[in-house]
Amino acid sequence: MTTPFPFTAVVGQDDLRLALLLNAVSPAVGGVLVRGEKGTAKSTAVRALSALMPTLDVVSGCRFSCDPGSPDPGCPDGPHEPGAFETRAARMVELPVGASEDRLVGALDIERALSEGVKAFEPGLLADAHRGILYVDEVNLLHDHLVDLLLDAAAMGASYVEREGVSVRHAARFLLVGTMNPEEGELRPQLLDRFGLTVEVAASREPDQRVEVVRRRLAYDDDPAAFAARWADEEAAVRARIVAARELLPSVRLGDGALRQIAATCAAFEVDGMRADIVMARTATALAAWAGRTDVLAEDVRQAALLALPHRRRRNPFDAPGLDEDKLDETLEEFGGSDDDDPDPDPGPDGPGGGGGGQPEPDDAPQGDGDTAARPEAGENGQPQPSGAGEQSAVRASEPFRTKVLSVPGIGEGAAGRRSRARTEHGRTTGARRPRGALTKLHLAATVQAAAPHQRARGRSGPGLVVRRDDLRQATREGREGNLVLFVVDASGSMAARQRMSAVKGAVLSLLLDAYQRRDKVGLVTFRGTDADVALPPTSSVDAAAARLETLPTGGRTPLAAGLLRAHDVLRVERLRDPARRPLVVLVTDGRATGGPEPVALAGRAARLFAADGVASVVVDCESGPVRLGLAGQLAGELGGTAVTLDELRADSIAGLVKDVQRRAA
């Protein structure tokens, strides 16, 4: 067995260590979400925590880790005889991002259930994690159907496995810990709210600290056992402190003054629901117990807010996480001065993870006013710059809006999402087929129909149906998939000269928000001057695309053909990486092409490459003014797609846009 890196040997990352230790003291806090760049010891710290967790008493032979003091009456391995138990370490179970549903919740033998009436159940990861830690690395990449199962288990404290009326239930209470790199995309709000605490981590910029990180890592890699032995005393001290804090926890008093501060803080930061208040109360109580106190102080409430609120104050995926600490201090001071006052509080003994909150993230970037698009971009002399002028500074996006649903025609087989029709594991049943591999979704009627003609030959004599493996039928289902939405944005001078770039950015931002909600990958190609750039390679991080869009400058000529060819290359490479994910190209332009010989003809030939490949496309027509040339519409025809204006892109405008997109692409 591999020797884990000692928890106490992790350099820095005080907030991360503190959040993990608080959950070890009080699992009711609700788990930890660790956000940060790669290579910041996120996974190392989480895996090291399991060695510090107190041991558990479990019923002997129970696959579901029942507590012998209060065994689960509905345990599939029950009923349990009193007295027989064993002591073991708490488990840390890792959930792979690509795990199947059966691997997570367990598998039920449908063949035996139908033919013998026996509930033959093989427990999954949720059963293994009961009363332990469930760790999900790259939790933001977890498939939606697994997220749904996690949400259900976290809400009910139990897991239910149902297959055509045959069901098994078992307890599933666990400490949920997830790590993620925000560059790969954000979490669904429902799952984000299930994490009690969140921590932002980053690599230290202090040379001495970085040197110590490298020194300890190299020493561990050379001899893990010897390195762990050097930290054994520190590990034992922290383990004992966790046990002591757990014993003290029921005695900690959460006074009315602290409760008022908690409620006022949650109200001041406008968090949704009441879960934040409850998590803050539990966290503040755990902080007091960790410090060896029986009273919750204002400093505990402050630290609890820094850990429990940043991920709950976001209103959309483009908001930066974090809290305004000045506002937090003002709120605590305003609602302080009660039974929790202490002019010289004793914070308790210092220990691993006792650091304070991290630096606040910057507040949301201001959005453009509603009339931003109507104000001309001024040059050095205060006059509007002419079309084709040199580079201009980036303009702010107008307010985003709810967009029409754009989808790819036909039926795909890509990753689960919410945009286009696809054959998926979840959705409405459309037919049946023989299973390829393990049976996951039984089509009962088709199975009975397949088995019925063979009952006499199989010697059936009783009321039961004789079912063989060859009779089983897998249900085929139709749901929705996520697509690759590739934005190709015209950033030339002609777009800025007519003051459309603010509105254009607002429209693209709106489409990015829609892509986030529909679980798409996104990419961004821009063209201006003499060439085109891949501003953002295809990624699941729509907020990264929004950030690139915000700083996008404009100016120069319109190399439309170069933009289309660069987009075609991006799709070609992405098709090799992820062939099942179908693309949707969103071209944002007025249709003009300038620069080089025959720019319009070159753009037409480039557009026909997409039509030849059957790529679904939409042209967002940004042309304005009393005289319209209709070039974007002609370009849409070359692409084999459809053209819509900025106004038509809004959800409350022209009905039937999706049907038009599908008809043009068919």
Side-chain angles (χ1 to χ4, degrees):
M1 181 177 179
T2 303
T3 303
F5 192 92
F7 186 86
T8 52
V10 175
V11 179
Q13 308 296 10
D14 290 341
D15 285 349
L16 169 58
R17 294 192 293 160
L18 177 62
L20 292 171
L21 289 169
L22 291 177
N23 276 273
V25 171
S26 176
V29 166
V32 186
L33 174 64
V34 187
R35 297 165 44 95
E37 58 196 24
K38 51 187 175 294
T40 50
K42 300 188 298 294
S43 300
T44 298
V46 174
R47 293 188 175 100
L49 176 67
S50 61
L52 300 179
M53 296 291 286
T55 57
L56 298 174
D57 290 337
V58 298
V59 174
S60 298
C62 178
R63 298 174 297 168
F64 302 88
S65 303
C66 279
D67 184 351
S70 56
D72 179 12
C75 177
D77 284 354
H80 298 300
E81 296 294 333
F85 71 92
E86 59 189 49
T87 301
R88 63 165 174 78
R91 291 172 179 161
M92 192 192 76
V93 178
E94 294 195 38
L95 171 60
V97 170
S100 65
E101 179 179 332
D102 285 348
R103 184 71 186 98
L104 177 62
V105 301
L108 190 63
D109 192 330
I110 296 297
E111 185 176 356
R112 291 188 64 190
L114 290 177
S115 59
E116 302 175 28
V118 176
K119 293 183 180 180
F121 181 67
E122 183 66 28
L125 296 177
L126 290 181
D128 292 341
H130 180 48
R131 304 178 65 202
I133 302 172
L134 181 63
Y135 171 48
V136 190
D137 193 13
E138 304 294 348
V139 63
N140 51 324
L141 303 182
L142 202 62
H143 289 171
D144 271 3
H145 68 285
L146 297 182
V147 170
D148 293 337
L149 294 170
L150 275 182
L151 289 173
D152 290 343
M156 297 183 293
S159 174
Y160 292 84
V161 183
E162 299 193 11
R163 296 288 188 272
E164 302 297 337
V166 181
S167 63
V168 174
R169 172 219 167 268
H170 64 82
R173 292 183 295 276
F174 46 82
L175 173 59
L176 181 61
V177 181
T179 55
M180 59 174 283
N181 184 346
E183 294 178 356
E184 296 294 333
E186 289 292 342
L187 275 179
R188 281 173 52 183
Q190 295 93 333
L191 182 57
L192 188 64
D193 190 50
R194 284 293 173 186
F195 286 97
L197 311 179
T198 186
V199 178
E200 297 279 339
V201 297
S204 173
R205 298 298 183 257
E206 293 293 331
D208 290 343
Q209 196 171 69
R210 296 175 73 97
V211 166
E212 186 62 23
V213 170
V214 175
R215 181 181 290 119
R216 293 187 186 183
R217 185 69 209 190
L218 293 177
Y220 171 77
D221 291 340
D222 288 342
D223 192 342
F227 183 81
R230 290 201 297 271
W231 291 89
D233 291 342
E234 287 83 352
E235 293 281 286
V238 174
R239 191 179 299 108
R241 188 174 172 186
I242 292 174
V243 173
R246 281 193 171 190
E247 294 174 351
L248 183 62
L249 189 64
S251 303
V252 176
R253 187 178 69 92
L254 182 65
D256 290 342
L259 276 173
R260 280 194 295 272
Q261 287 182 319
I262 289 170
T265 300
C266 293
F269 285 98
E270 300 180 348
V271 297
D272 295 331
M274 295 298 298
R275 183 173 284 116
D277 304 63
I278 297 171
V279 170
M280 274 191 64
R282 290 171 173 167
T283 304
T285 303
L287 280 163
W290 177 248
R293 290 186 267 101
T294 56
D295 286 316
V296 174
L297 305 180
E299 67 182 59
D300 299 323
V301 176
R302 186 182 192 278
Q303 183 67 68
L306 292 173
L307 293 172
L309 296 188
H311 61 301
R312 291 186 166 91
R313 60 165 291 276
R314 304 184 75 190
R315 287 294 179 267
N316 65 61
F318 310 134
D319 290 340
L323 290 182
D324 183 341
E325 294 197 35
D326 291 336
K327 180 178 179 180
L328 174 60
D329 291 335
E330 291 173 3
T331 303
L332 294 176
E333 183 177 355
E334 179 182 354
F335 289 88
S338 61
D339 58 337
D340 291 82
D341 277 346
D342 188 341
D344 185 21
D346 180 11
D350 293 333
Q359 294 297 318
E361 296 290 336
D363 286 341
D364 303 340
Q367 299 293 324
D369 297 331
D371 61 346
T372 303
R375 295 196 298 269
E377 287 291 317
E380 294 182 359
N381 58 359
Q383 298 299 318
Q385 294 195 23
S387 174
E391 180 174 312
Q392 303 174 27
S393 60
V395 298
R396 294 173 180 171
S398 62
E399 286 295 327
F401 51 85
R402 190 165 63 91
T403 67
K404 288 287 190 183
V405 181
L406 307 177
S407 63
V408 178
I411 300 179
E413 294 183 342
R418 298 172 183 169
R419 183 172 297 278
S420 305
R421 295 171 57 201
R423 285 180 285 270
T424 62
E425 289 294 319
H426 300 269
R428 63 185 182 90
T429 301
T430 59
R433 60 171 174 80
R434 291 182 181 273
R436 295 190 289 266
L439 178 71
T440 56
K441 299 292 182 181
L442 178 74
H443 194 297
L444 183 58
T447 299
V448 172
Q449 186 177 12
H454 308 290
Q455 296 305 296
R456 180 174 297 178
R458 293 172 183 173
R460 173 187 171 187
S461 58
L465 188 68
V466 181
V467 179
R468 302 283 172 80
R469 174 68 185 173
D470 291 342
D471 301 327
L472 299 179
R473 293 295 182 268
Q474 174 85 20
T476 57
R477 301 192 174 194
E478 183 178 307
R480 295 281 171 176
E481 68 177 0
N483 297 111
L484 166 60
V485 182
L486 182 61
F487 295 94
V488 186
V489 180
D490 184 350
S492 65
S494 65
M495 298 283 285
R498 288 187 293 277
Q499 309 312 312
R500 302 301 294 167
M501 187 49 69
S502 178
V504 165
K505 284 188 175 182
V508 177
L509 195 66
S510 304
L511 290 166
L512 283 170
L513 182 59
D514 181 69
Y516 164 77
Q517 294 168 341
R518 299 185 186 281
R519 313 301 290 171
D520 294 316
K521 291 179 71 173
V522 297
L524 179 62
V525 173
T526 64
F527 57 94
R528 54 183 289 274
T530 60
D531 203 358
D533 295 314
V534 181
L536 183 73
T539 176
S540 297
S541 179
V542 295
D543 51 342
R548 303 291 173 87
L549 181 72
E550 186 71 23
T551 59
L552 178 65
T554 58
R557 295 186 178 275
T558 311
L560 179 56
L564 291 171
L565 291 174
R566 183 60 59 89
H568 190 267
D569 287 342
V570 170
L571 294 184
R572 177 179 54 81
V573 173
E574 193 64 19
R575 192 177 295 116
L576 297 175
R577 293 175 177 170
D578 192 357
R581 190 181 291 267
R582 298 186 295 163
L584 173 64
V585 173
V586 179
L587 175 60
V588 185
T589 181
D590 57 9
R592 298 192 177 211
T594 60
E598 299 183 347
V600 176
L602 284 175
R605 287 199 291 270
R608 287 191 288 274
L609 293 176
F610 292 86
D613 290 342
V615 176
S617 59
V618 177
V619 178
V620 180
D621 185 359
C622 302
E623 190 174 26
S624 62
V627 179
R628 297 174 180 263
L629 302 178
L631 297 176
Q634 297 175 23
L635 183 61
E638 299 279 7
L639 286 165
T642 189
V644 297
T645 65
L646 289 173
D647 291 336
E648 292 171 350
L649 194 60
R650 295 179 178 270
D652 55 359
S653 64
I654 296 176
L657 174 60
V658 178
K659 294 181 181 178
D660 190 34
V661 172
Q662 294 175 338
R663 185 178 67 251
R664 294 287 189 90

